[in-house]
């Protein structure tokens, strides 16, 4: 089989792996590159394969860094099937439409800014439009978990729960070539064990070739109890000094988890009736998708649902879809908690909240997720004194805090636990979806601990295995 690493190689975004095997040409994921001044150019660059010759696309989960280039793929002539689990298909409807909307909005902002300065804006185009997203969505087909789906006479694929977000999966491919059957496993993004609502990642017993993510391959997360304590401390300190807590958060999964943590604080009076705003139409829609798929909940969440309790609801919680309501938050001085997307501050309403709140030392910007290199979120998290938002420089006077334990990704030990599921050593293990130094240190650790042949592919690298 031939594998070409077309994204998330030495970095955490743009997940895309091209495979030729068993008489098929396909890609696993088709994600957006996020962060860096050249992100627009990287996303619009031609794919390192011919989209017209692809037989199909397989998706691991609905995060935009795994699906966000699908409209561009379709725009380049791909018109076959895109397969994913049912919840992933449902989430793609929300996320791809939202992504297209953000692209259109960003382009409109840029045009407005250039015209204000009397400059030419005729060259500004959105990365893709709503119409492009709709074309991609029309090719999506839902599949069941834990069922072998034949792709042709030589290849079958199975999606097993990765416990990362609703619908997330590891892909297990069985590929027959020259009479020999071999197994390719792509981890997708591996979740944390014990995350509320979601099931734990699935252990897979057999593989010849493994592509494993390595986002947190050199880190250990804060313990769940320590995480809750830190969270409470940061909130109360900020609210006590009359500030706002701004939480950049992924709309799908993370926002629901933050609400799950806020619920007992609010119900026990620890938030002192402070309003909590979820300012993201997508988060509201995502919650509806969660409610549609209780069959994919873990045992605890399923039991809660049956008893009629809905954890993401508590006094003081306001869900905001409307733009005017969102804007009204900018003019308010009351202490509050604002959760808004996107999680790495590269686009969306969170940028407006940062613009209006980052200059006030009473406020706290609280990061609860991974910040990719070159993103606005990463700059702030790393302590930048000044940052550019919507083309204007802003001095960072707000406190900046981070809690890594909320990550939807397994940490180093979680990834090792998952790899330990393989009962015999895979022939090759490729560390993908990790920043270069992190992926290398994880590759070295696995090679030392288990004696497996590990490597970190470079972007565009091709291997015959
Ligand atoms: Zn993900």
């Amino acid at each position: 089989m031939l594998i070409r690493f077309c994204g998330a190689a030495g970095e955490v975004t743009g997940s895309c792996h091209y495979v030729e095997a068993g008489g098929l040409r396909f890609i696993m994921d088709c994600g957006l590159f996020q962060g860096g001044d050249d992100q627009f150019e990287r996303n619009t660059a031609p794919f390192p394969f011919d989209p017209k010759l692809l037989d199909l696309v397989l998706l691991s989960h609905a995060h935009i860094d795994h699906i966000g280039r699908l409209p561009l793929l379709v725009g380049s002539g791909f018109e076959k099937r895109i397969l994913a689990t049912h919840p992933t298909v449902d989430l793609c409807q929300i996320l791809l439409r939202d992504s297209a909307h953000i692209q259109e909005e960003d382009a409109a902002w840029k045009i407005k800014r250039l015209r204000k300065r009397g400059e030419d804006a005729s060259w500004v185009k959105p990365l893709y439009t709503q119409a492009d997203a709709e074309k991609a969505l029309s090719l999506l087909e839902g599949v069941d978990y834990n069922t072998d789906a034949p792709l042709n006479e030589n290849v079958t694929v199975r999606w097993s729960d990765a416990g990362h977000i609703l619908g997330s999966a590891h892909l297990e491919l069985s590929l027959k070539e020259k009479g020999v059957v071999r197994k390719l496993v792509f981890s997708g993004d591996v979740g944390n064990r014990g995350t509320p609502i979601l099931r734990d990642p699935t252990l897979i017993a057999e593989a010849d070739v493994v592509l494993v993510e390595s986002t947190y391959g050199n880190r250990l997360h804060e313990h769940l109890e320590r995480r809750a304590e830190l969270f409470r401390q940061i909130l109360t300190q900020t609210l006590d000094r009359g500030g706002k807590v701004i939480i950049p958060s992924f709309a799908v999964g993370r926002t629901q988890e933050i609400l799950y943590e806020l619920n007992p604080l609010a119900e026990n009076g620890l938030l002192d009736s402070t309003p909590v705003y979820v300012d993201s139409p997508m988060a509201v829609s995502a919650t509806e998708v969660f409610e549609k798929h209780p069959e994919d909940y873990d045992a605890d969440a399923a039991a809660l649902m049956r008893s009629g309790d809905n954890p993401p609801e508590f006094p003081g919680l306001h869900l905001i879809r409307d733009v005017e309501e969102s804007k009204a938050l900018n003019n308010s001085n009351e202490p509050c908690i604002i959760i808004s997307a996107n999680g790495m501050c590269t686009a969306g309403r969170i940028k407006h909240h940062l613009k209006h709140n980052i200059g006030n030392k009473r406020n706290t910007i609280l990061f609860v997720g991974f910040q990719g290199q070159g993103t606005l979120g990463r700059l702030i998290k790393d302590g930048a004194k000044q940052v550019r938002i919507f083309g204007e420089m802003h001095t960072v006077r707000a406190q900046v805090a981070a809690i890594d334990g909320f990550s939807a990704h397994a940490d180093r030990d979680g990834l090792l636990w998952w790899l330990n599921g393989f009962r015999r050593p895979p022939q090759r293990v490729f560390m993908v979806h990790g920043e270069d130094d992190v992926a290398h240190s994880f590759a070295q650790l696995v090679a030392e601990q288990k004696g497996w042949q590990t490597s970190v592919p470079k972007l565009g690298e091709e291997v015959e295995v």
Side-chain angles (χ1 to χ4, degrees):
M1 78 182 87
L2 177 143
I3 306 173
R4 191 178 301 146
F5 299 93
C6 306
E11 61 184 319
V12 295
T13 68
S15 179
C16 184
H17 310 293
Y18 172 85
V19 180
E20 268 182 44
L24 283 180
R25 294 188 180 96
F26 59 92
I27 53 172
M28 301 186 290
D29 288 350
C30 189
L32 203 68
F33 291 106
Q34 293 170 296
D37 291 338
D38 59 349
Q39 61 175 341
F40 190 89
E41 287 71 25
R42 295 187 71 197
N43 283 315
T44 47
F47 288 93
F49 48 80
D50 187 345
K52 293 192 195 77
L53 299 180
L54 282 185
D55 295 300
L56 78 164
V57 175
L58 309 173
L59 300 179
S60 67
H61 66 289
H63 272 149
I64 214 70
D65 60 321
H66 295 256
I67 61 162
R69 282 181 91 195
L70 285 172
L72 294 158
L73 186 79
V74 172
S76 308
F78 174 77
E79 49 189 20
K80 304 259 180 61
R81 308 157 78 197
I82 303 172
L83 304 183
T85 63
H86 296 290
T88 296
V89 170
D90 290 343
L91 289 172
C92 280
Q93 312 277 337
I94 300 168
L95 284 152
L96 277 185
R97 285 189 184 121
D98 179 78
S99 177
H101 178 68
I102 286 170
Q103 304 301 339
E104 288 175 344
E105 237 178 17
D106 272 7
W109 257 95
K110 206 182 263 178
I111 289 168
K112 198 170 144 194
R113 212 173 57 236
L114 287 169
R115 289 209 177 126
K116 220 166 147 184
R117 285 197 233 136
E119 291 175 31
D120 173 35
S122 60
W123 56 273
V124 180
K125 297 254 175 323
L127 185 61
Y128 49 80
T129 62
Q130 302 278 354
D132 299 327
E134 292 304 328
K135 262 188 246 166
L137 289 171
S138 70
L139 301 177
L140 272 167
E141 282 177 39
V143 293
D144 292 330
Y145 275 120
N146 305 322
T147 306
D148 289 316
L151 300 178
N152 70 0
E153 64 281 14
N154 298 317
V155 183
T156 60
V157 60
R158 162 190 283 250
W159 281 256
S160 54
D161 204 324
H164 168 68
I165 60 166
L166 192 76
S168 67
H170 313 301
L171 297 181
E172 296 175 59
L173 286 130
S174 172
L175 305 146
K176 192 165 154 193
E177 289 184 297
K178 295 177 189 153
V180 180
V181 177
R182 289 195 305 157
K183 214 166 144 192
L184 168 67
V185 172
F186 171 40
S187 71
D189 287 357
V190 181
N192 274 315
R193 284 171 288 163
T195 298
I197 308 170
L198 300 177
R199 286 192 290 248
D200 286 351
T202 308
L203 291 178
I204 300 170
E206 300 280 329
D208 296 288
V209 180
V210 177
L211 273 58
V212 60
E213 71 123 321
S214 54
T215 315
Y216 284 98
N218 66 345
R219 299 276 297 272
L220 294 176
H221 293 327
E222 283 122 5
H223 193 269
L224 285 178
E225 283 153 33
R226 166 89 185 123
R227 168 183 108 172
E229 175 58 24
L230 253 177
F231 189 53
R232 193 185 60 74
Q233 257 178 24
I234 292 165
L235 297 184
T236 48
Q237 280 168 4
T238 308
L239 299 173
D240 284 352
R241 59 173 186 259
K244 297 182 186 178
V245 183
I246 311 293
I247 307 180
S249 171
F250 290 109
V252 181
R254 188 65 40 84
T255 295
Q256 287 77 21
E257 207 183 330
I258 298 289
L259 294 178
Y260 195 93
E261 291 283 341
L262 283 169
N263 180 306
L265 302 181
E267 286 183 351
N268 296 330
L270 286 169
L271 295 182
D272 215 10
S273 312
T274 305
V276 175
Y277 300 98
V278 175
D279 183 20
S280 161
M282 195 166 51
V284 181
S285 304
T287 308
E288 288 164 8
V289 175
F290 269 71
E291 282 165 1
K292 200 178 141 192
H293 290 283
E295 74 280 6
D296 293 321
Y297 289 3
D298 68 2
D300 292 351
L304 262 181
M305 280 289 289
R306 277 196 301 275
S307 74
D309 190 357
N310 193 359
E313 276 175 23
F314 50 83
L317 175 67
H318 306 266
L319 302 174
I320 299 180
R321 281 185 194 263
D322 185 63
V323 175
E324 293 310 314
E325 272 185 70
S326 170
K327 284 185 181 160
L329 290 180
N330 296 335
N331 305 321
S332 146
N333 283 322
E334 58 168 1
C336 63
I337 298 167
I338 300 175
I339 304 164
S340 187
N342 73 23
M344 297 199 281
C345 314
T346 54
R349 290 184 182 176
I350 186 64
K351 287 175 74 177
H352 293 274
H353 294 301
L354 289 173
K355 176 181 145 145
H356 286 91
N357 293 293
I358 204 164
N360 185 332
K361 65 178 193 307
R362 281 182 309 190
N363 299 335
T364 298
I365 316 296
L366 172 58
F367 292 100
V368 291
F370 189 83
Q371 303 302 311
Q373 240 160 15
T375 60
L376 175 59
R378 177 69 163 262
L379 288 173
I380 299 170
K381 191 181 170 193
D382 283 353
K385 296 274 176 286
Q386 286 213 312
V387 288
R388 187 182 295 278
I389 306 171
F390 294 123
E392 284 166 18
M393 293 310 283
H394 292 263
T395 302
V396 182
R397 292 194 192 89
Q399 310 288 314
V400 175
I403 304 178
D404 285 340
F406 278 113
S407 177
H409 291 267
D411 63 6
R412 187 196 70 195
D413 288 355
L415 291 171
L416 285 172
W417 169 83
W418 187 77
L419 287 174
N420 279 330
F422 296 110
R423 284 202 298 259
R424 62 178 168 80
Q427 184 194 339
R428 293 290 297 272
V429 180
F430 297 98
M431 276 62 190
V432 296
H433 204 287
E435 279 169 9
D436 214 35
D437 54 334
V438 180
H440 274 101
S441 73
F442 187 58
Q444 197 181 345
L445 179 78
V446 174
E448 280 167 12
Q449 281 203 2
K450 304 188 69 69
W452 294 354
Q453 194 183 341
T454 62
S455 55
V456 180
K458 288 193 170 42
L459 186 66
E461 189 175 326
E462 191 172 288
V463 289
E464 186 70 57
V465 283

